[in-house]
Amino acid sequence: MPHRDVHVQATRSMPQQKIEIFKSLEKWGEKNILIHLKPVEKSWQPQDFLPGPASDGFYERVEEIRERAKEIPDDYFVVLVGNMITEEALPTYQTMINAGSRFHDETDASLTSWEIWTRAWTAEENRHGDLLNRYLYLSGKVDMRQIEKTIQYLIGSGMDIQTENSPYLGLIYTSFQERATFISHRNTAKLAKEHGDIKLAQICGFIASDEKRHETAYTEIIEKLFEIDPDDIVLAFADMMRKKITMPAHLMYDGRDKNLFDHFSAVAQRLGVYTAKDYADIVEFLVNRWKVKDLTGLSADGRKAQDYVCELPPRIRKLEERARVRAKQAPSIPFTWIFDREVEL
């Protein structure tokens, strides 16, 4: 793995007062958060979208997938692979959530609402990587060994997102990230439809729908914390925004390209799958969703944090516009995921 710098982080121990807040919300979480989970028996499974290996006509259906995939350009597959690899690093994400002082499941089978949510959320998310992985395997368009190496490197590297084991920072990060993944999968669904692959559009659309449900749950937890502890949660929001939200797969590596995540992100930006504009829009969405502008009774530091996050979206958009104007013609580079075929950044 390439050498990388890691932020020096405080590993905050949550004060007893904050622990009591989460304990007091366990019944609320059971009633208001667990409803965003779907029962297993009513959930879609990856096999619902793919040819059954024991079914008659299996090879014919696989050939149909491969024929449709031939009509989809390589840059789309770079983004789809990047999204799949991000989903496959799920063990890292559960570890991050479980490391939070309140979400730490000491028994691995706790029946509190927070621990039930974490395990069931992980179980729902697990289907996303499984489905995209199997589709890509059947498509014949990608180098699965290179993709598998990238996944192994990524899980082995972890992630450096500066949430400091704080549940406040972690929940704000996850609220943002779930919306970002919803947008990304929604846009890959739109592009698949434009390229004439309705089945692939359906796959990406169902994953996006899951991400939207999960976004709703995490944003509702933060909304509740704004009611109970507005000063500290707005400080955490501003802290997370100052650090900037780092995408969870930012340590992506395939054994060759040390800047693989930046290159994948550049293709996603060019295709409109996930862009700098989306980043600003998400910040604005969360500011409005949590009614940050309407907060009253804050401390002096709380008011500064409130002003910072409320003024942030237009500042991000101005910076993005300046960067776009200065941008030069992007080069084309080979991606190992697609057998070293070149794609414009």
Side-chain angles (χ1 to χ4, degrees), residues 19-61:
I19 293 175
E20 293 303 320
I21 287 176
F22 280 95
K23 283 184 177 179
S24 72
L25 289 175
E26 285 180 2
K27 288 294 184 183
W28 175 88
E30 184 178 342
K31 181 179 179 181
N32 294 278
I33 300 305
L34 298 188
I35 61 169
H36 295 298
L37 297 168
K38 279 193 173 181
V40 174
E41 295 301 327
K42 294 183 178 180
S43 296
W44 61 262
Q45 299 298 332
Q47 193 55 58
D48 298 337
F49 302 90
L50 300 169
S55 65
D56 293 335
F58 171 72
Y59 294 106
E60 290 80 1
R61 288 189 63 196

Side-chain angles (χ1 to χ4, degrees), residues 202-253:
Q202 185 183 37
I203 286 171
C204 297
F206 268 79
I207 293 172
S209 180
D210 273 3
E211 303 290 6
K212 183 63 178 173
R213 274 192 300 110
H214 298 162
E215 171 210 315
T216 300
Y218 286 111
T219 56
E220 284 183 4
I221 296 172
I222 294 293
E223 183 179 36
K224 190 65 175 177
L225 290 172
F226 266 111
E227 292 178 16
I228 297 171
D229 194 12
D231 211 65
D232 279 357
I233 199 69
V234 77
L235 287 169
F237 190 13
D239 184 17
M240 209 67 244
M241 292 302 100
R242 286 191 179 97
K243 292 171 179 175
K244 297 186 175 64
I245 297 292
T246 301
M247 296 298 108
H250 68 110
L251 299 179
M252 191 182 278
Y253 181 59

Side-chain angles (χ1 to χ4, degrees), residues 286-306:
L286 294 176
V287 166
N288 293 333
R289 174 73 175 78
W290 294 328
K291 299 181 175 62
V292 179
K293 291 180 182 179
D294 300 333
L295 293 175
T296 58
L298 299 173
S299 67
D301 286 341
R303 289 193 299 272
K304 289 178 183 177
Q306 179 186 36

Side-chain angles (χ1 to χ4, degrees), residues 265-281:
S265 298
V267 178
Q269 167 84 26
R270 181 173 61 79
L271 293 185
V273 168
Y274 182 73
T275 68
K277 178 182 180 300
D278 291 322
Y279 187 103
D281 289 348

Side-chain angles (χ1 to χ4, degrees), residues 25 30 84 122 150 193 197 263 300 325:
L25 289 175
E30 184 178 342
M84 182 271 277
T122 303
T150 308
K193 187 175 181 180
D197 195 332
H263 294 152
V325 170

Side-chain angles (χ1 to χ4, degrees), residues 26 28 35 46 62 79 88-89 135 151 197 211 231 280 282 300 310 334:
E26 285 180 2
W28 175 88
I35 61 169
V62 171
V79 174
E88 289 281 48
Y135 165 80
I151 294 167
D197 195 332
E211 303 290 6
D231 211 65
I282 294 171
C310 291

